[in-house]
Structures are given as C-alpha cells and as structure tokens.
Amino acid sequence: MKVRFDEFVFDSEARQFRAERGEIHLSPKAFDLLRTLLERRPNVVSKADLFSHIWPDTFVVDANLNVLVGEIRKAIGDDPRSPRFIKTAHGVGYSFCGSASDVDAAVSAAPASDVRWWLSWNQHTFPLAVGDNIIGRDPRCDVWLDHDGVSRRHARIRIENASGPAVLADLDSTNGTFIGRQQIAMPTPLADRDVIKLGEVSLQFREWSETVQRTKRIRPRQS
C-alpha cells in the first residue's frame, strides 16, 4: 500500500514514511498503527482491533496505544484538539480523518497518455508522472539537476490525475523558485511552455494534449 496525504507519502511495502522535508522515522509499532488506520480509513478502528493488529497474543494497556498515537501526531504535526489526520473516537478507538489517495491506484487509473508532461533543460528531457515529482540536486529526486545553485529538494510539481493540472511549489529552497521572472510563494498551476527558474537553472515545462496540439504546416521553399 502506498498512500499520499498532504505532504506525506506512506509506503507499507518499503516501510518508508516520507515528507517533503525528508524521511520521517517512526517506531515499528507506530508505523504499524498508522498503516492500519490508513488501510481502514475513514472508518473508526476499535482499540481491540488495534491491539490485535499491533500486539498479537500480547496483553497491553491503553496507555501503550496512547503513546503510539502521540508519536504519530508529533511526527506529522497533528493537534489532537483540532485533528487534521488522526481523530479520537472517545471510548472506542481512532480513525484517519484526513484526505488521502492511493498513489498506485491513481497512476494505474490514468488513461493511455491523453496528456503528457515533461521538463526540458539543455539537451535533457525529464518526463513527469501523476503524483509528486520532486526536483532537486539530490540524485534520488525525480528530476535530478546536478547544479550548485539548486537545493537538494528544491521544488515539487504535483499532478493530481491524468487531467492535471500540474502545480509547482517551492520546497523552502535557498535560491527560490520562479515562473518566468515571478518568484512563487505558494503552489502555482503551470501552463504549457512556462519557464521555471531554480537558482541559475532554467527549465521549460511542456504539456502535450492529443486533442489540442496541431502539426504546423510548413510551406515548401520555392527553388
């Protein structure tokens, strides 16, 4: 199971939990608790079910569960008094109450390339996929730019589904993220042929649609 919510991506198979700022470390039991809540979302999972999933054949008290919930909330910045993700059903259990989407399902549900997106930089072409596309100097980024003026995780292009739109966001970079000459301070939709500037690096965003693009007719030269 691979699920994205807000800035977070939870991958149960790889046992990884990441945010835009980097990997988030949870204890094994806290990881299993979050996985159970995500799998059963938006339903309330009773304490009895959580105990059987996380501590099979072991007797534990409610305090152990409360500690794990507190660990998750601290990791994701969730306030129990005004929860965005983990909601307490008093006397019953817990539920995941935030908006979340299955990453693999979103990709597989995309139709056969009605729309395609990519970035161009010098002689390089970087295809973009549905979901989060991280741009940065870190070789693990989806779009790797080996340039000193680019932060390790500089920016993100998020494509929600096969219909778009593609939205650019800065990831607290050192030198800022620009569309043309305008520095962006909040997530901003991209249009075909927009020039994205990261430090001293300029990329062109391209969006191709089978229903829009037309081949330019070239008049033959007169000999």
Side-chain angles (χ1 to χ4, degrees):
M1 177 184 69
K2 192 173 184 180
V3 176
R4 183 178 69 239
F5 60 95
D6 197 62
E7 63 172 310
F8 307 101
V9 176
F10 181 91
D11 190 337
S12 62
E13 297 298 323
R15 289 196 71 86
Q16 289 184 339
F17 186 36
R18 298 187 59 84
E20 292 173 351
R21 61 183 181 275
E23 188 167 357
I24 298 174
H25 298 283
L26 292 175
S27 66
K29 296 295 186 184
F31 189 95
D32 292 341
L33 171 58
L34 181 55
R35 177 181 61 189
T36 302
L37 294 178
L38 286 169
E39 287 175 342
R40 302 277 290 275
R41 69 185 192 276
N43 297 328
V44 173
V45 186
S46 70
K47 292 181 180 181
D49 281 351
L50 291 173
F51 287 144
S52 65
H53 276 81
I54 302 169
W55 292 281
D57 304 319
T58 303
F59 175 78
V60 294
V61 296
D62 285 2
N64 296 73
L65 187 58
N66 296 339
V67 169
L68 296 186
V69 172
E71 180 184 345
I72 296 171
R73 282 174 168 159
K74 182 178 179 181
I76 62 179
D78 202 28
D79 185 350
R81 293 168 297 183
S82 181
R84 294 189 300 148
F85 305 116
I86 308 297
K87 185 176 180 180
T88 302
H90 295 285
V92 181
Y94 298 91
S95 66
F96 186 90
C97 60
S99 176
S101 59
D102 295 304
V103 175
D104 295 335
V107 174
S108 62
S113 299
D114 288 333
V115 179
R116 297 173 183 154
W117 309 265
W118 68 95
L119 295 175
S120 297
W121 175 46
N122 295 335
Q123 301 301 314
H124 303 282
T125 299
F126 303 95
L128 304 174
V130 172
D132 285 352
N133 301 267
I134 305 299
I135 310 169
R137 199 173 77 250
D138 190 326
R140 294 170 294 182
C141 290
D142 303 292
V143 178
W144 177 32
L145 302 177
D146 189 14
H147 192 284
D148 291 344
V150 176
S151 297
R152 292 182 181 275
R153 290 169 60 85
H154 195 113
R156 177 196 69 215
I157 295 178
R158 174 173 290 173
I159 302 172
E160 290 293 342
N161 52 57
S163 300
V167 179
L168 176 67
D170 183 74
L171 299 181
D172 196 25
S173 65
T174 300
N175 294 311
T177 300
F178 297 76
I179 298 179
R181 297 182 179 180
Q182 183 67 43
Q183 184 172 4
I184 64 171
M186 58 188 302
T188 305
L190 289 165
D192 184 37
R193 298 185 184 275
D194 273 346
V195 175
I196 301 170
K197 188 174 181 182
L198 313 177
E200 296 179 341
V201 174
S202 293
L203 308 96
Q204 187 176 57
F205 170 76
R206 296 303 315 273
E207 177 178 353
W208 178 83
S209 172
E210 189 172 357
T211 60
V212 175
Q213 298 289 345
R214 295 181 179 179
T215 302
K216 180 180 179 181
R217 184 177 295 278
I218 301 175
R219 296 180 180 275
R221 292 184 178 180
Q222 298 294 329
S223 58

